[in-house]
Amino acid sequence: MIITIVGAGVMGLAIATELAERGVGIEVIDQAPGLGAHACSWYAGGMLSPWCEADMSEPPIVKFGQEAVSWWRKHISKVTERGSIVLAPSRDSAELNRFARRTQNHKSIDGNALAELEPDLAESFSKALYFADEAHINPRQALRDLSEKLLNHGIKIHYDTPLKDYVSKGKIINATGFNARIKLQDLRGVKGEALLLKTHEINITRPIRLMHPRFPVYIVPRGSGTYMIGATQIESEERSKITARSMVDLLNAAYTIHPAFGEAEVLEIGCDVRPAFPDNIPKLCWQGDTLHVNGLFRHGFLLAPACARMAADTILNPKHIPEFMDENYR
Amino acid sequence: MLDFYGKKLTSRLFLGTAQYPSPTILEDAVKTSGAQVVTVSLRRESGEAKSGQTFWNMISDLGVHVLPNTAGCHTVKEAVTTAHMAREVFGTKWLKLEVISDNDTLCPDVLSLVEAARILVEDDFEVFPYTTEDLSIAGRLLDAGCKVLMPWGAPIGTGLGLNNIYGLKTMRAHFADVPLIIDAGLGLPSHAAHAAELGFDSVLVNTAIAKAGNPVAMAKAFSIAIEAGVMARTADPMEPRDMANPSTPVLGMASFT
């Protein structure tokens, strides 16, 4: 049996890894010319913060997100396990109380404790939440690492290979994100915009989430003075242009976290749409011989490990997964 | 029965559609609360390319009246442009007109609001202006052709409730026959009940429901509270008084001497 995995973003590569390790024959195809910005995974933040997600996400996201750290630790070269921090500007401190109430596994810390964790932030913030068990990764490196591991298993990713030009040899797993829209009618795109900044004036070592009235803003350190600032969340399927307003929002957030970001170099402006179902929860569903795994929304790197495990389980031995499958699964 | 520009409604709760955890939860909140009107803000960016169409279709599929709004507009021109896009996207003449002056309070820019309302009414829109409790501005908006007014309870997203009860009472008394909807600033169902007790026709709620831990339950709570307020008003509430007044007769009680 050869299983074809369509889509070499984080979901496709995680499924490929999971199946390859179980000794299943697979092929991976992707219509893009290579690893890069064609997949929305490219612009992910890479936070592995299941507990923080409880603020605005449903319980399965929190539950299955907890599988992420150990899975990534096993499969890629670097997972930074230093926790994450949630901050609010003093005018929004009520938001921090709400966040604390709605989430678990955190500690309220004062300015002194914050100074020990992130000295550069203590001047501007005197109160924060610390989620010690959370972690972060560099998504681009993670995608490269998974690709390389697959090569070690003898699996090469066939780029420039659209599904329509491909003769499948058996079951197919479709992990093409928003591109599967034509097959999955209730899939929608939610636009996200992000910036990559560089500054050596400050040193932040773990993801910082800033309470923001409209969308969760975060800064994720990528090493060597680079930081990912993301991400807007707009009900739009336009995937190529960032608006001035979004840019202002993101830069304002960065500037609020530390004024030195005002002098940072803008390395990259990223924009894409994340695939989401109406309940913003991922789904596995069968269409003929194809298993769709889609709708990871803002949680690609957080939920890919659990979804990959479920996809592998169900394709080898079909079973019902209540959290991520509809009643009418095959 | 409530009548807004000829549309008859039985529910007094208008729901904003932003910031819900997911479209499914929004849908459940609308259905559970029985709300018959939802507001939707249109980003001009999405309007141009119709790239927000999927989300707008979801809103349209809710089967309730859509009241597009010009949230985030700071000038007359922006608001008018957004209004035209909204009419094209949603196929309705209804428009919730917001022209914002200041980012810290999101206070309506009432002068631009009157000007934008005048332009849009002439252009055959049915305008629901987001305004303050200022009577002269309210009068100007009615002169411009608005047939509904939406005074604020408190600044958008604050959850403070009815900030100027005197002003709102005066407004209600002054414009006794104009449908008045409290828009913005409500945080709790009791605020909505209070608005209804004061005689306001409807309330519009977004953040207090969307950002509640259980938005569906909170939507229901708001709809019940408004009905309670209306029922209380029609039941002719008692007059408050300063001195205690025993509810059972004192005379004739056994005395222990």
Side-chain angles (χ1 to χ4, degrees):
Chain A
M1 175 176 66
I2 297 277
I3 293 169
T4 305
I5 295 154
V6 192
V10 64
M11 192 63 259
L13 293 181
I15 295 170
T17 304
E18 194 70 23
L19 286 172
E21 284 178 353
R22 298 185 193 194
V24 180
I26 55 168
E27 284 196 334
V28 184
I29 65 170
D30 194 302
Q31 63 179 10
L35 192 61
H38 312 278
C40 70
S41 316
W42 197 248
Y43 291 113
M47 286 186 295
L48 306 178
S49 49
W51 290 282
C52 280
E53 287 304 323
D55 177 40
M56 282 301 277
S57 304
E58 302 270 351
I61 310 295
V62 182
K63 176 182 168 191
F64 293 111
Q66 290 173 37
E67 293 180 25
V69 172
S70 61
W71 194 91
W72 287 111
R73 203 192 285 137
K74 239 168 67 191
H75 292 100
I76 61 173
S77 50
K78 189 177 175 195
V79 176
T80 310
E81 297 180 61
R82 295 176 61 79
S84 65
I85 288 173
V86 180
L87 298 172
S90 55
R91 58 182 281 169
D92 293 334
S93 64
E95 290 289 300
L96 202 60
N97 297 340
R98 182 186 53 79
F99 199 96
R101 223 169 45 234
R102 299 244 177 106
T103 56
Q104 293 184 322
N105 203 19
H106 57 69
K107 211 163 71 177
S108 280
I109 57 172
D110 62 9
N112 291 334
L114 181 61
E116 276 177 34
L117 292 169
E118 298 290 350
D120 280 337
L121 297 179
E123 246 179 277
S124 317
F125 296 92
S126 56
K127 213 176 132 192
L129 297 175
Y130 176 44
F131 290 77
D133 294 335
E134 299 192 332
H136 69 280
I137 57 179
N138 179 336
R140 297 178 186 181
Q141 190 56 45
L143 295 172
R144 284 186 208 107
D145 288 351
L146 290 186
S147 306
E148 201 169 299
K149 273 231 165 138
L150 286 170
L151 261 185
N152 295 341
H153 282 285
I155 297 151
K156 193 171 166 291
I157 300 162
H158 302 282
Y159 285 107
D160 281 319
T161 310
L163 181 58
K164 62 178 171 54
D165 300 342
Y166 181 81
V167 184
S168 91
K169 304 172 181 76
K171 287 180 184 164
I172 292 175
I173 296 178
N174 185 317
T176 55
F178 187 57
N179 289 331
R181 166 72 168 283
I182 194 159
K183 308 256 191 221
L184 301 170
Q185 294 301 319
D186 54 350
L187 195 68
R188 77 187 196 287
V190 180
K191 186 175 181 178
E193 297 147 307
L195 301 174
L196 204 58
L197 302 184
K198 182 166 189 156
T199 172
H200 287 294
E201 279 187 44
I202 40 176
N203 184 29
I204 297 173
T205 63
R206 37 174 87 66
I208 309 297
R209 208 178 269 249
L210 183 72
M211 294 289 92
H212 185 282
R214 287 195 305 287
F215 50 84
V217 190
Y218 53 76
I219 291 197
V220 189
R222 287 281 164 82
S224 314
T226 58
Y227 297 90
M228 177 65 108
I229 320 290
T232 58
Q233 187 174 313
I234 300 166
E235 292 289 348
S236 165
E237 291 171 350
E238 199 289 311
R239 61 197 304 182
S240 60
K241 290 176 284 191
I242 181 169
T243 61
R245 179 186 303 219
S246 293
M247 185 100 112
V248 167
D249 277 341
L250 293 173
L251 290 174
N252 262 339
Y255 188 77
T256 304
I257 288 171
H258 200 291
F261 280 113
E263 305 300 321
E265 178 188 352
V266 179
L267 291 180
E268 220 179 287
I269 297 168
C271 174
D272 209 335
V273 296
R274 309 109 157 169
F277 289 105
D279 57 5
N280 292 345
I281 296 176
K283 252 178 227 11
L284 282 73
C285 64
W286 284 98
Q287 278 180 356
D289 274 338
T290 300
L291 175 68
H292 286 272
V293 186
N294 214 318
L296 274 70
F297 186 43
R298 296 176 51 235
H299 309 118
F301 283 81
L302 181 67
L303 293 181
C307 291
R309 172 181 61 74
M310 293 174 193
D313 287 349
T314 194
I315 205 149
L316 298 175
N317 181 19
K319 64 171 190 176
H320 185 54
I321 301 156
E323 287 91 346
F324 290 172
M325 275 182 168
D326 288 336
E327 285 301 311
N328 56 355
Y329 87 107
R330 192 178 67 180
Chain B
M1 190 176 287
L2 298 159
D3 184 328
F4 299 104
Y5 290 104
K7 284 186 184 140
K8 306 267 194 278
L9 301 177
T10 49
S11 165
R12 293 170 183 273
L13 179 62
F14 287 33
L15 290 184
T17 55
Q19 302 186 70
Y20 277 83
S22 70
T24 301
I25 291 176
L26 164 63
E27 183 181 354
D28 290 348
V30 171
K31 297 224 160 107
T32 306
S33 66
Q36 292 172 306
V37 179
V38 296
T39 65
V40 187
S41 65
L42 190 80
R43 288 172 72 108
R44 292 192 298 289
E45 168 212 1
S46 313
E48 274 163 15
K50 297 272 171 68
S51 49
Q53 196 69 51
T54 308
F55 184 69
W56 301 329
N57 289 347
M58 286 177 164
I59 300 288
S60 298
D61 288 348
L62 292 171
V64 295
H65 298 291
V66 176
L67 174 58
N69 76 30
T70 60
C73 290
H74 285 259
T75 63
V76 173
K77 195 174 172 198
E78 276 182 295
V80 170
T81 307
T82 307
H84 280 272
M85 279 178 183
R87 182 160 69 182
E88 193 186 322
V89 167
F90 293 106
T92 174
K93 290 180 177 185
W94 276 18
L95 183 82
K96 188 191 147 196
L97 180 62
E98 277 186 41
V99 188
I100 299 300
S101 67
D102 165 63
N103 266 335
D104 276 338
T105 60
L106 299 176
C107 178
D109 177 342
V110 290
L111 300 184
S112 297
L113 181 70
V114 172
E115 172 66 5
R118 191 188 56 73
I119 293 169
L120 291 168
V121 169
E122 270 178 23
D123 210 355
D124 204 26
F125 280 90
E126 295 172 343
V127 177
F128 295 62
Y130 167 58
T131 183
T132 66
E133 61 282 82
D134 187 291
L135 297 185
S136 55
I137 294 298
R140 297 289 171 104
L141 288 166
L142 296 172
D143 291 346
C146 297
K147 297 198 166 21
V148 179
L149 298 175
M150 301 185 83
W152 62 354
I156 296 172
T158 57
L160 291 172
L162 305 180
N163 238 358
N164 178 359
I165 304 227
Y166 161 76
L168 290 170
K169 271 184 176 171
T170 313
M171 187 179 201
R172 179 68 283 180
H174 201 84
F175 300 104
D177 299 325
V178 179
L180 298 180
I181 304 166
I182 293 287
D183 178 6
L186 302 192
L188 288 168
S190 53
H191 300 150
H194 194 183
E197 286 160 9
L198 294 179
F200 286 87
D201 298 278
S202 299
V203 303
L204 168 62
V205 186
N206 191 350
T207 310
I209 293 175
K211 292 218 143 178
N214 182 342
V216 179
M218 192 59 89
K220 180 76 180 170
F222 265 94
S223 70
I224 295 170
I226 301 166
E227 290 315 317
V230 171
M231 205 181 283
R233 182 175 170 80
T234 50
D236 190 13
M238 67 171 283
E239 289 295 326
R241 42 175 291 139
D242 291 334
M243 292 299 150
N245 185 13
S247 53
T248 49
V250 186
L251 205 71
M253 280 179 74
S255 58
F256 303 94
T257 48

